[in-house]
Amino acid sequence: MGKKRKVGHENDGMESKSEFVEDLVPVRLGKKSERGGVCLSSGDGVAYVDDSDVNVIIESSTGTGKSSRVVVESGISVLQSGQSAVFYDPKLELFRTTAPIAKKTGHDIIVLNARNPMFSDTVNLLEPIVEDYRSGDPARVSSAVDMMSDLVCTLIPSRNRNDPFWEESAQSVLLGLSFLVMSLAEDISEINLRSICALKDEIETNIALHHHILFKTDETIKSSLSGVINNSETTRRCILGCFSVMTRIYTFHGPLVRMISNPGKDLYSIGEKPTAVYLVLPDEKSTYGSLMSAVIKMLYVVLTAKALARPDGSLPVRVNFMLDEFSNISPIPDFASMISAGRSRNIRFIICVQSRYQLISKYGEEVAKTIISNCGIMMYMYSQDLDTLKEYAERAGNGPDGRPLLSVRDLQQLEPGQALVLRRGHRPHVSYLAHMSAFGIVPEDVPLPRNDGADVPMMDLDEALERYTLKHDSEYEAMRRIRRNRLNLKNLVMEDLDEDDEEFIVDISKISLEDLARMEEDETDIDLSSISLEDLVRMVGAEGNED
């Protein structure tokens, strides 16, 4: 009987351990370090980490230790080096093992716990969109529309490719209602998903709201909502019915609504100061999958905007998206583009899947290939899928003798803790990864934050419409008065002008409405006979000159 081949031996064309770790960073977990990254090899109390900006994909069946041998060690490494991390953490395993380090290193810790929202921090998911939309800056308003469009497509995904009309119409309703609330609400705290979704019933029957949307809103709101308003009653009810189904968890689930609507923690400063975010989602059901996808998407979009606003186009603090059980998250729109462009903005993705076929089922074959091709480090630990085994055997390549470096059988016989690591620019290496317990890492009973149960502020539509009408009607009357004053001013001045003052008459006629509006602030009675023409132009008051 032949001797069992030692998988990964350096003499068969594989990279030796000394070669493999040569450009990795040795760190001792639990102690502050200047550099940190993804753990690719470990043992004897040392973790060897890759601190580059390269994205990583880890492929392994469940129960093979990818969390306890790779993700936990990598998370601790990035945290103790002062980087930020976003953990997708279905069972709170990563929170219990890495949060103590985050606390020790002074990170802000944010927990968004969809499994039990009563034990969660709160954030207003829409905050950066609201700030941009209400800024009045055309560029920022345009950015707000782009961000909200991305968010809407994540919250209401288009799954029916054969008949996308109803889902796309529901998306349009959510987009329009979002900006309608942003334009009407007086208090920024009233701008949240609950206020937005609550307008569904109003848009179905409220004629005053229809009139407001069609005649008093901007083009984004009007174009998004005019379709549902102008449609037949039957079509309108079907669209709004689809909208209700797709958004019901943001309306009726009180603790969950509070988690993503009430101001609390500053989620979007993660790229500016060290922060650890834990996204907790039940992995046994898909009800809230789109919500966590929305959080990840919003974080990426906001971080990208902040990076591009800096001279070097990069975030000052690296953000690592450590997405364990990535395939359990609902598809994230444009994720292939995100993982491709994130590197230059100091954003890194580490994704874990049980099988690449999970990626294909979520994103389609072409997008899945793009995601994988944008990962410069690939780790394989274990799989029973023959196609997966064949692919990794082929990726490992051939040795000097032209024979495959690894066979399907070799990959099937990897021992617990072993992983095939493929890095660009390196030969394949079968690495050993120690269990976290070898570093003294054990789950701790870390207390979770508690959602205080404060009600989510909601916008009163009737009050908002009345406030809007009064404000804009008064502005309209003011502009009419200003136009009258401009005419009165010109008539008063022309009575005292001679032919030499013709040029001054032209100047008076060019006084802007804005300048006259500022003049209206002076309500003092004016003795026209005692002042010069120039002073008259500057000082004429609105009320004193109407007569």
Side-chain angles (χ1 to χ4, degrees):
M1 191 171 182
K3 185 179 179 180
K4 182 179 178 181
R5 180 184 180 216
K6 185 177 180 180
V7 178
H9 193 269
E10 58 197 63
N11 293 329
D12 60 8
M14 305 286 282
E15 196 167 63
S16 68
K17 181 176 180 179
S18 59
E19 292 172 323
F20 180 73
V21 302
E22 186 176 0
D23 59 352
L24 299 180
V25 180
V27 298
R28 293 196 174 273
L29 299 180
K31 295 184 179 180
K32 187 175 181 180
S33 56
E34 294 297 321
R35 299 163 68 182
V38 180
C39 181
L40 302 183
S41 179
S42 61
D44 299 325
V46 178
Y48 295 91
V49 303
D50 179 277
D51 70 338
S52 70
D53 57 2
V54 174
N55 299 312
V56 181
I57 183 168
I58 303 166
E59 190 166 349
S60 182
S61 299
T62 184
T64 54
K66 61 182 179 293
S67 297
S68 58
R69 295 178 184 272
V70 183
V71 181
V72 169
E73 288 85 340
S74 301
I76 290 175
S77 175
V78 300
L79 293 175
Q80 69 185 27
S81 65
Q83 300 178 39
S84 291
V86 179
F87 298 97
Y88 174 61
D89 189 13
K91 301 180 179 71
L92 284 168
E93 294 172 332
L94 302 178
F95 176 73
R96 294 191 177 103
T97 50
T98 64
I101 296 294
K103 185 176 181 180
K104 182 178 177 181
T105 53
H107 282 63
D108 283 350
I109 299 175
I110 302 174
V111 180
L112 297 181
N113 185 2
R115 182 177 286 279
N116 189 349
M118 287 299 296
F119 295 93
S120 173
D121 288 306
T122 61
V123 297
N124 189 337
L125 199 60
L126 303 181
E127 182 180 342
I129 302 176
V130 175
E131 290 176 354
D132 279 356
Y133 185 74
R134 291 165 69 115
S135 69
D137 181 341
R140 292 182 65 186
V141 172
S142 177
S143 174
V145 174
D146 289 342
M147 284 193 286
M148 194 67 214
S149 298
D150 284 336
L151 181 60
V152 164
C153 290
T154 312
L155 292 172
I156 303 181
S158 294
R159 296 191 177 99
N160 191 341
R161 297 182 181 179
N162 294 325
D163 186 15
F165 173 78
W166 304 108
E167 291 168 342
E168 290 178 357
S169 297
Q171 290 174 351
S172 184
V173 171
L174 180 57
L175 183 69
L177 291 181
S178 298
F179 288 121
L180 180 63
V181 172
M182 292 181 205
S183 68
L184 288 175
E186 185 173 39
D187 190 334
I188 194 171
S189 68
E190 296 174 346
I191 305 174
N192 53 64
L193 285 172
R194 190 174 188 183
S195 286
I196 292 165
C197 294
L199 286 186
K200 187 272 298 183
D201 294 331
E202 297 290 344
I203 200 173
E204 187 169 1
T205 57
N206 192 323
I207 302 302
L209 181 59
H210 291 182
H211 183 274
H212 176 85
I213 291 168
L214 294 175
F215 298 104
K216 296 184 179 181
T217 59
D218 63 32
E219 193 58 36
T220 300
I221 300 173
K222 190 181 304 181
S223 61
S224 298
L225 296 177
S226 59
V228 69
I229 291 174
N230 293 328
N231 246 309
S232 68
E233 182 178 351
T234 301
T235 303
R236 183 189 309 151
R237 286 182 176 177
C238 289
I239 292 173
L240 294 177
C242 179
F243 174 85
S244 295
V245 170
M246 302 294 282
T247 61
R248 62 182 180 272
I249 64 170
Y250 312 120
T251 306
F252 301 116
H253 194 316
L256 188 72
V257 173
R258 288 195 295 271
M259 184 181 80
I260 58 173
S261 300
N262 281 347
K265 289 293 186 78
D266 185 2
L267 180 65
Y268 297 106
S269 63
I270 186 172
E272 298 160 85
K273 58 183 179 179
T275 306
V277 177
Y278 298 87
L279 306 179
V280 185
L281 180 71
D283 56 354
E284 66 273 10
K285 55 184 178 180
S286 59
T287 310
Y288 309 122
S290 61
L291 175 60
M292 288 308 173
S293 297
V295 174
I296 293 169
K297 181 67 176 182
M298 273 298 297
L299 272 170
Y300 178 83
V301 169
V302 173
L303 290 174
T304 297
K306 289 189 175 186
L308 295 177
R310 293 175 56 82
D312 62 355
S314 179
L315 295 170
V317 177
R318 173 175 289 174
V319 178
N320 300 271
F321 283 86
M322 311 194 78
L323 307 178
D324 198 1
E325 301 296 345
F326 177 67
S327 300
N328 287 342
I329 307 172
S330 295
I332 302 170
D334 304 316
F335 185 75
S337 299
M338 291 165 55
I339 198 170
S340 174
R343 290 178 57 190
S344 62
R345 293 154 189 167
N346 210 13
I347 299 172
R348 187 181 198 182
F349 287 90
I350 300 94
I351 61 176
C352 303
V353 295
Q354 294 184 23
S355 165
R356 67 190 52 215
Y357 297 103
Q358 288 182 325
L359 275 183
I360 293 172
S361 67
K362 288 278 185 181
Y363 289 93
E365 188 168 1
E366 291 305 314
V367 175
K369 285 181 177 178
T370 303
I371 292 171
I372 293 169
S373 67
N374 277 290
C375 294
I377 298 175
M378 302 178 67
M379 297 181 69
Y380 161 85
M381 298 181 73
Y382 180 77
S383 176
Q384 292 183 326
D385 182 76
L386 185 58
D387 289 335
T388 299
L389 292 166
K390 287 179 178 179
E391 180 168 347
Y392 273 99
E394 290 176 4
R395 285 182 179 275
N398 297 329
D401 59 1
R403 298 175 61 186
L405 289 175
L406 293 170
S407 67
V408 168
R409 182 181 179 185
D410 291 330
L411 294 174
Q412 287 176 321
Q413 293 180 345
L414 290 181
E415 297 176 0
Q418 284 188 312
L420 171 63
V421 183
L422 304 175
R423 288 193 292 165
R424 288 175 187 163
H426 289 258
R427 286 177 292 152
H429 176 74
V430 173
S431 178
Y432 180 76
L433 295 149
H435 190 272
M436 64 183 187
S437 59
F439 297 95
I441 303 168
V442 294
E444 298 184 23
D445 188 15
V446 183
L448 288 164
R450 186 169 179 86
N451 187 332
D452 64 6
D455 288 337
V456 177
M458 290 187 64
M459 183 187 74
D460 185 299
L461 179 62
D462 291 337
E463 289 183 3
L465 288 176
E466 183 179 359
R467 185 169 56 246
Y468 181 96
T469 301
L470 289 173
K471 175 184 175 184
H472 288 269
D473 283 356
S474 62
E475 288 177 354
Y476 173 72
E477 288 301 322
M479 295 305 292
R480 288 183 60 194
R481 188 168 63 250
I482 288 168
R483 289 188 177 95
R484 288 199 302 272
N485 284 341
R486 176 151 59 179
L487 180 61
N488 290 342
L489 174 63
K490 183 175 179 181
N491 292 337
L492 286 168
V493 173
M494 287 179 65
E495 292 178 3
D496 295 327
L497 293 178
D498 55 32
E499 294 179 359
D500 295 332
D501 293 314
E502 183 176 348
E503 182 179 349
F504 188 63
I505 295 174
V506 175
D507 288 340
I508 291 173
S509 68
K510 294 179 179 179
I511 296 175
S512 69
L513 294 177
E514 288 78 7
D515 288 338
L516 279 166
R518 284 194 293 272
M519 292 178 193
E520 282 207 322
E521 295 177 1
D522 184 359
E523 299 181 0
T524 306
D525 290 336
I526 300 172
D527 181 0
L528 297 178
S529 63
S530 64
I531 59 174
S532 67
L533 293 174
E534 291 81 355
D535 289 338
L536 175 61
V537 173
R538 286 193 300 270
M539 297 175 59
V540 65
E543 300 301 330
N545 289 295
E546 284 197 20
D547 298 331

